[in-house]
Amino acid sequence: MTDNDIIDLYFARDDRAVTWTAAQYGTPLFHLAQRFVAREDAEECVNDTYMSAWNHIPPTRPAHFFAWLAKVCRNHVISRTRWNDAVKRSTDLVELSDELSQCIPDERYNREREAEELGAALSEFLRSLPQEKRVMFLRRYWFGDSVAEVAEQLGITESKVKVTLHRVRGQLKIYLEKEDIPL
Amino acid sequence: MTEKDLMEALNHVDDELIRESIEATGKRKKKRFRIPSAAAAMVVLVIGAGAALGGSVIIVQSAKIRELENAASVSEAAAGEKGSSAENNLFFAVKNSYEELYEALEEMNDREQVVYEEAMDVMEEAAADGDIPASGITSAPASKEGGDYSKTNLMTEGVDESDIVKTDGKYIYMVQSGTIRITDVQNGTPGEFTALMIPFEAPSAQIRELYVDGDRMVVITSHYPSQTYAYSYDISDPRDPKLLGDRVQDGTYNTSRKVGNVVYLFTDRDMRTPDLRKKEAVKDNNLSQWIPGVNGEPVAVDSIYVPEYGRNSLVVSAFDVSEPTETIDAKVILNDYAQIYVGNEHIYLYRSDWSAHQITEITSFTYQNGHITAVASTTVGG
């Protein structure tokens, strides 16, 4: 069963589409969600992802099915995150948030920006990086992988991952400061 | 701007970049699982891409099935030649008491790191294996007796698979909107039909699949939170099916098979120690909090196979279609989402490790008249 076959089932409004989606991608989606939220919330997020897939395909036909599902799942995760309740936030998320906070420009540059606009700026920034750094950044902050996991995936040492990510965060901060300077 | 803004904004990063980070790491990933020595007697099978779903939607590569059978038979033979118990060769261990089982699960808690990239690999493997050859599915020949009609496509001759539509050549039995629609087709065209309501145990229950064989029909349903039911009917008069009984098994429905009059029901359930001290957890009245049950009875500790990693419990029970309330045998096999293949004599659980040195880990179980016995585990290249 290829991704296209599954997507065709969605287009045919055949509910086996969801069954197949769960069989093929349920596990990775759950692990992705569990990086950021508690187990029970992760299960809900994955179920919400299936529902979103059912509601959006058609008309959407994802070019890369899993990347699309992961994005939808991550959206549900972020929506469900109890940002103000430290107890409910997963350890991983607290750690990731702390690291990401180092990218936030100073208050004087603070400007409300739409997530979409900011996302586009992040894409541009990431494209300017060498592939390894780009992948490292996304594995860490998009997928929520641990430093050790990223090191293993890329075949490099943990300390190299830490140092590189530290530098990339610094570069991103500068980039966002520039981007946020009012014209 | 806050961390939350950044986390949200990351979700708007181009799909292409996300895809790149999936593909770039998947190819470089190293092997994560340690393959235990035979003496260590433990597990890890399975991880589940394209888990068998039952009925006509089950798709497994025929080549892989042949490899499984060959590898398993070699392993069994090797175990026999050594003059040792075949179970000594297993990747699983059976604990002597619920206390030991509790301790093993706690140790697993400490040891286990759920490996996201493993799952990513599964995803890629599933995508790579997408072009399933047509030869992977065998069609049962049309009946030579009661007329010319087709049956559910089967992976193994003689091992029936459930489906959402079945026919005996005279009636069509179809899952439809929470009922079984039984339509008389003896005149060659759809005639009278009966809509059979299943006595669901929960409002959220859904009919998954069914079996029809002679004057027996088995309907499998599942409902949240994760229980699977099987209802057995006498359909000697298809216009008036009679409920013979039902059974319940913990876990979400994975797949099932029917060989002769015996149905093998496979369900998945997460298994963790409860929020109780060991002394309390192992008391009879607390076992159901963490031990999967079949017909309300927690599975016996000597029927629970414990690996080194993997906390999805594959619950397998066998019952006779005419006596659904009686359990012939029940086993729990802890794993990390198994792929299942059921041959004529064996049940195989297998997991592929897509590291640089690709291997597939296989464990076989024999099944006979409903009794399931672990035989041997092995690994093969590829």
Side-chain angles (χ1 to χ4, degrees):
Chain A
M1 179 68 72
T2 65
D3 284 354
N4 274 335
D5 292 337
I6 298 175
I7 292 168
D8 285 344
L9 289 175
Y10 279 103
F11 271 79
R13 308 315 291 159
D14 185 330
D15 59 14
R16 284 178 302 168
V18 176
T19 307
W20 270 107
T21 304
Q24 305 249 46
Y25 300 123
T27 304
L29 288 174
F30 176 72
H31 289 322
L32 171 65
Q34 211 180 10
R35 296 281 170 151
F36 302 100
V37 292
R39 179 182 182 81
E40 59 271 22
D41 283 338
E43 288 172 352
E44 290 290 323
C45 289
V46 173
N47 285 334
D48 289 347
T49 302
Y50 299 147
M51 183 62 76
S52 296
W54 183 256
N55 290 335
H56 289 87
I57 308 173
T60 303
R61 181 175 274 277
H64 187 277
F65 190 39
F66 181 68
W68 186 86
L69 287 171
K71 227 171 170 179
V72 170
C73 182
R74 197 174 179 282
N75 261 330
H76 286 299
V77 167
I78 297 297
S79 304
R80 193 174 281 265
T81 303
R82 296 161 170 109
W83 291 93
N84 298 322
D85 186 349
V87 177
K88 301 282 186 181
R89 290 160 65 180
S90 76
T91 313
D92 287 344
L93 182 59
V94 172
E95 192 180 330
L96 289 173
S97 298
D98 286 347
E99 288 179 26
L100 276 178
S101 67
Q102 297 165 23
C103 309
I104 298 172
D106 296 342
E107 275 304 305
R108 62 195 171 94
Y109 295 119
N110 193 17
R111 184 163 68 98
E112 284 299 319
R113 299 191 62 160
E114 295 296 329
E116 203 168 329
E117 188 187 353
L118 196 51
L122 284 171
S123 295
E124 192 181 324
F125 169 75
L126 290 168
R127 283 185 205 288
S128 72
L129 298 174
Q131 188 197 32
E132 185 176 78
K133 287 184 179 178
R134 183 163 62 233
V135 169
M136 197 184 296
F137 186 89
L138 286 172
R139 295 304 314 187
R140 178 77 180 126
Y141 301 114
W142 203 96
F143 291 95
D145 292 350
S146 70
V147 169
E149 288 165 341
V150 175
E152 188 173 350
Q153 289 158 4
L154 299 177
I156 56 180
T157 63
E158 288 185 38
S159 54
K160 184 177 178 187
V161 173
K162 285 179 188 170
V163 169
T164 306
L165 285 175
H166 178 74
R167 287 176 183 160
V168 171
R169 287 197 301 268
Q171 288 175 294
L172 177 58
K173 182 178 180 181
I174 294 167
Y175 177 82
L176 291 175
E177 282 173 351
K178 284 181 182 170
E179 285 293 301
D180 264 339
I181 293 174
L183 295 173
Chain B
M1 188 188 300
T2 65
E3 309 96 79
K4 182 188 174 193
D5 295 330
L6 271 176
M7 289 296 280
E8 285 182 345
L10 275 168
N11 238 37
H12 294 276
V13 163
D14 290 350
D15 286 359
E16 193 185 317
L17 297 174
I18 304 305
R19 180 178 181 171
E20 177 191 55
S21 62
I22 292 172
E23 292 173 350
T25 51
K27 287 170 189 163
R28 299 186 213 186
K29 202 188 73 57
K30 292 178 181 175
K31 177 172 164 12
R32 300 286 303 211
F33 287 129
R34 179 177 63 85
I35 304 301
S37 66
M42 296 279 157
V43 166
V44 176
L45 280 196
V46 243
I47 185 176
L53 294 170
S56 57
V57 296
I58 295 181
I59 299 173
V60 171
Q61 287 174 288
S62 58
K64 179 163 267 183
I65 290 170
R66 282 195 296 275
E67 286 172 16
L68 288 174
E69 290 184 325
N70 291 339
S73 62
V74 168
S75 173
E76 288 164 25
E81 285 169 10
K82 289 172 187 169
S84 60
S85 161
E87 290 204 18
N88 287 340
N89 198 38
L90 282 172
F91 291 159
F92 300 85
V94 172
K95 303 300 177 186
N96 295 317
S97 66
Y98 286 115
E99 283 89 346
E100 284 186 17
L101 178 61
Y102 184 99
E103 287 163 7
L105 290 175
E106 288 289 284
E107 284 170 15
M108 196 187 295
N109 273 342
D110 297 337
R111 197 171 49 235
E112 182 186 52
Q113 290 188 350
V114 177
V115 189
Y116 177 61
E117 320 86 273
E118 290 281 356
M120 283 297 178
D121 286 351
V122 169
M123 180 273 293
E124 290 179 356
E125 182 255 333
D129 285 355
D131 297 322
I132 306 298
S135 58
I137 303 172
T138 59
S139 290
S143 167
K144 291 177 182 173
E145 294 175 7
D148 186 11
Y149 63 96
S150 62
K151 295 181 177 179
T152 298
N153 290 331
L154 303 178
M155 287 193 288
T156 305
E157 284 292 348
V159 181
D160 197 7
E161 298 169 29
S162 54
D163 206 343
I164 55 172
V165 181
K166 289 282 189 181
T167 181
D168 57 7
K170 297 176 182 174
Y171 290 84
I172 292 174
Y173 303 76
M174 182 167 65
V175 176
Q176 189 176 60
S177 304
T179 65
I180 304 296
R181 185 184 173 110
I182 304 170
T183 306
D184 186 345
V185 290
Q186 293 180 87
N187 293 328
T189 55
E192 290 185 4
F193 71 89
T194 301
L196 173 66
M197 302 291 291
I198 304 299
F200 289 136
E201 300 291 333
S204 60
Q206 289 185 321
I207 301 174
R208 303 300 298 265
E209 290 166 338
L210 56 90
Y211 289 96
V212 170
D213 187 8
D215 58 3
R216 292 288 181 268
M217 174 173 70
V218 175
V219 179
I220 297 166
T221 74
S222 62
H223 74 83
Y224 185 84
S226 81
Q227 278 190 316
T228 299
Y229 283 80
Y231 299 85
S232 198
Y233 286 87
D234 179 343
I235 52 168
S236 44
D237 179 1
R239 293 164 299 182
D240 185 22
K242 299 277 194 303
L243 181 64
L244 297 172
D246 62 41
R247 62 188 286 103
V248 59
Q249 181 167 314
D250 284 345
T252 53
Y253 179 60
N254 182 322
T255 190
S256 61
R257 296 290 189 276
K258 188 175 82 61
V259 180
N261 291 326
V262 178
V263 172
Y264 298 83
L265 190 61
F266 298 79
T267 58
D268 290 312
R269 204 192 86 160
D270 194 55
M271 187 166 163
R272 292 173 188 276
T273 48
D275 292 330
L276 293 172
R277 290 178 184 278
K278 183 172 69 175
K279 191 176 174 184
E280 288 298 311
V282 299
K283 287 183 177 174
D284 287 348
N285 57 347
N286 288 330
L287 288 178
S288 61
Q289 290 189 40
W290 55 296
I291 303 293
V294 174
N295 273 350
E297 290 294 321
V299 173
V301 69
D302 59 3
S303 292
I304 300 175
Y305 293 93
V306 186
E308 190 171 7
Y309 297 94
R311 53 179 71 263
N312 174 61
S313 60
L314 179 68
V315 188
V316 192
S317 79
F319 63 96
D320 189 293
V321 292
S322 297
E323 297 178 326
T325 56
E326 300 295 321
T327 300
I328 300 172
D329 197 3
K331 294 280 192 286
V332 170
I333 305 153
L334 278 165
N335 60 79
D336 195 5
Y337 294 94
Q339 290 196 40
I340 304 164
Y341 168 67
V342 181
N344 286 112
E345 297 175 352
H346 292 86
I347 296 166
Y348 300 101
L349 303 186
Y350 63 99
R351 166 188 179 268
S352 296
D353 186 318
W354 302 96
S355 59
H357 304 288
Q358 294 185 357
I359 57 168
T360 296
E361 299 158 357
I362 309 164
T363 292
S364 66
F365 300 77
T366 58
Y367 68 93
Q368 194 167 29
N369 301 324
H371 295 280
I372 303 156
T373 308
V375 178
S377 300
T378 189
T379 59
V380 293

